[in-house]
Amino acid sequence: MAEQLWRREALAPYASLPWQSRGRLHAEPEASRSPFQRDRDRIIHSTAFRRLKHKTQVFVYHEGDHYRTRLTHSLEVAQIARSICRTLHLDEDLGEAVALAHDLGHTPFGHAGEEALHAAMKPFGGFDHNAQTLRILTKLEERYAEFNGLNLTWETLEGAVKHNGPLLKDGRTLDDLPAAIVEYCSDHDLELYGHAGPEAQIAALSDDIAYNNHDIDDGLRAGLFGIADLKGLPLVGEMFTLVEGRYPGLDDTRLIHEAVRRVINAMVEDVLAETRRRLAEAKPSTVADIRALGRPVAAFSESMAETDRTVKKFLYGRMYEHWHLNRSHSKARRVVMDLFGLLFAEPNCLPPPWRERAEAAERPARARIVADYIAGMTDRYALDEHRRLFDLYN
C-alpha cells in the first residue's frame, strides 16, 4: 500500500512511521488503513474498552452521571494526544491508540480497587495495571480466530508498557517486573531498558494534562473544594482570576469551564514549546534516535512540571484523601478483597469458562485467573457480584 494513503499529512522523519512499523507478533496481510489506525480501531472495538464506561476514575459510578469515568478520561487523553501529535508532525493514530489503551488494565473502583487486588495477589506476584493492560491486549481479549489478544503492532504495545518511561532503570532488573511483561517480552522484545517513541511520550503527558484538569472540574462539581481554594495555585488560580476579570458576574459553571480550558491550553502549549526545544537540541533523524536519547524528548518545561506537581499535591490533599472519598474507597477495597477471597477458595462459584480454567489450575495460576476476572469487572458488576455472593437474601 502506497505510504501516502496511510497518512493525512506529512510526518516528521523522527516520527513512528507506519510503513516502517516493526510489525505484529502474528503476521497479518496489509490493509488500506495504516497499522496504527488498525490498532486504534481494534482497541475501540474491544470488550475491555467498552467496560471503561462503568469503571471509576475518582467517583464510583452511582455517585453521579456527570463525573469522569475511565472511558471519558481515555477519550479526553486521546483528544489531547492527537492534537499535540498532529502539531508536531508525529503519527497521531499511534498517539491516539496508546492513549485509548493506557487504562484498559485498571480494576473497578480506581486505585482503591487496584490496591486491594495487589494486596490479595501479593503471594502470587502482585497486581499491576500496566501489566494487566498488556495481558488484555495480548491474551485476554478473545475475538480473533488465529490468535488471542488484539495482535497490535510492536509500537503500540511498547507505548502501552513504557509510556511512563523505561522499566529497567534505577537498578531494576527483570526479576523486579511483573511476570506478564517479562513473559511477553521473551517472545516479542519491547526493549524495556529504553524510552518509548515520541507518540507514547505525548500520550503520557496528555494523561497528566487531562486528569489534573478534569479532577479540578469534578472536585468543584462535587463540592470537595471551592473556586476560592484554587486561587493560590500557580496557573490554575491565574486562569480563574483572568476569566473573572474578563467576564464579571459569570455563573460558576461557565467560569469553571472557561478557566479549565485555558489551563489545558497553556499546558499543551508548554509541551509543544519544550518538545520543540528538545528536538532542536537533539536533532534526531529517526525514531530510533529518540529512543536512544536516554531521556524523554516530550516533556513539560521545568516551571510547568513544578506547577503540575503543585496541582497534584493540592488534589491529593483536598480531593483524593477527602473523607467522603475515603469512605467510598474503603468500601471498594472490602468488596474486592471479599470477592478475591471467596472466588479463590471456591472457584466453583465462578461462571464458565472461568470456573473450568480455575479448577484445572494450580494455586498461582488460579489466583491470576481470579485476578483477571475481578480486574475486568465494572464498578456496577463488582457491587452486584458482591451482593449475589454475600447477601443471604439475594
Side-chain angles (χ1 to χ4, degrees), residues 98 154-164 196-197 200:
V98 175
W154 185 93
E155 290 80 5
T156 299
L157 293 175
E158 179 208 33
V161 170
K162 293 162 45 183
H163 57 277
N164 287 323

Side-chain angles (χ1 to χ4, degrees), residues 39-95:
D39 285 358
R40 174 203 60 206
D41 297 346
R42 289 181 180 190
I43 292 164
I44 289 173
H45 288 281
S46 68
T47 302
F49 186 73
R50 291 196 299 276
R51 286 178 181 150
L52 297 181
K53 177 182 179 183
H54 292 298
K55 285 197 174 189
T56 288
Q57 183 66 25
V58 175
F59 295 93
V60 179
Y61 83 95
H62 63 269
E63 295 183 276
D65 291 336
H66 295 281
Y67 298 121
R68 269 70 172 190
T69 64
R70 289 283 175 198
L71 179 62
T72 58
H73 166 67
S74 296
L75 293 173
E76 291 179 15
V77 175
Q79 178 271 316
I80 294 170
R82 282 193 72 100
S83 298
I84 296 175
C85 285
R86 182 179 301 174
T87 303
L88 294 173
H89 300 289
L90 303 174
D91 192 284
E92 60 188 87
D93 299 311
L94 176 57

Side-chain angles (χ1 to χ4, degrees), residues 163-363:
H163 57 277
N164 287 323
L167 272 63
L168 296 178
K169 63 178 182 178
D170 302 328
R172 296 182 79 191
T173 68
L174 289 175
D175 292 337
D176 301 314
L177 301 184
I181 295 175
V182 177
E183 289 168 8
Y184 184 81
C185 288
S186 67
D187 294 324
H188 200 197
D189 185 8
L190 299 177
E191 300 177 0
L192 304 178
Y193 51 83
H195 284 276
E199 293 84 359
Q201 296 180 30
I202 293 298
L205 290 166
S206 301
D207 185 25
D208 268 357
I209 294 170
Y211 78 69
N212 270 1
N213 285 283
H214 66 49
D215 284 356
I216 288 171
D217 189 6
D218 283 351
L220 288 167
R221 184 188 299 275
L224 302 184
F225 48 82
I227 293 172
D229 298 317
L230 301 172
K231 291 299 182 68
L233 290 178
L235 183 61
V236 176
E238 295 162 22
M239 291 305 173
F240 273 93
T241 300
L242 184 153
V243 173
E244 286 177 329
R246 183 170 297 179
Y247 305 103
L250 192 65
D251 66 86
D252 282 355
T253 299
R254 294 176 190 266
L255 170 61
I256 293 166
H257 174 72
E258 288 288 343
V260 167
R261 76 184 185 94
R262 283 169 169 78
V263 176
I264 292 173
N265 185 67
M267 297 183 80
V268 167
E269 291 297 328
D270 182 87
V271 169
L272 290 171
E274 179 64 15
T275 303
R276 285 174 175 141
R277 186 189 70 78
R278 294 190 180 203
L279 286 168
E281 182 181 90
K283 298 181 174 58
S285 298
T286 67
V287 68
D289 293 338
I290 288 178
R291 290 193 175 96
L293 281 176
R295 68 167 189 157
V297 73
F300 291 126
S301 66
E302 289 186 15
S303 60
M304 186 61 75
E306 179 59 30
T307 293
D308 182 59
R309 288 189 290 269
T310 301
V311 172
K312 282 184 171 67
K313 183 177 180 180
F314 172 86
L315 289 171
Y316 184 84
R318 297 298 299 271
M319 185 173 184
Y320 310 140
E321 286 295 309
H322 192 281
W323 69 268
H324 174 76
L325 290 181
N326 283 340
R327 288 184 173 189
S328 179
H329 295 164
S330 177
K331 178 180 179 181
R333 284 190 288 268
R334 290 197 303 276
V335 168
V336 171
M337 293 295 287
D338 286 348
L339 288 173
F340 183 89
L342 186 147
L343 295 173
F344 180 65
E346 303 178 49
N348 59 338
C349 291
L350 286 162
W354 297 93
R355 171 180 176 172
E356 290 78 9
R357 295 171 181 170
E359 288 183 329
E362 297 296 326
R363 283 175 58 85

Side-chain angles (χ1 to χ4, degrees), residues 102-163:
H102 84 283
D103 268 357
L104 291 180
H106 273 287
T107 65
F109 312 122
H111 291 291
E114 179 171 0
E115 290 166 6
L117 195 53
H118 177 64
M121 285 291 293
K122 206 68 178 289
F124 309 104
F127 180 88
D128 175 86
H129 72 264
N130 280 329
Q132 191 68 14
T133 293
L134 185 65
R135 283 178 63 78
I136 289 167
L137 296 176
T138 61
K139 183 177 291 187
L140 298 181
E141 281 285 326
E142 299 178 342
R143 306 173 61 83
Y144 297 92
E146 297 183 1
F147 47 79
N148 287 331
L150 303 181
N151 197 34
L152 304 181
T153 62
W154 185 93
E155 290 80 5
T156 299
L157 293 175
E158 179 208 33
V161 170
K162 293 162 45 183
H163 57 277

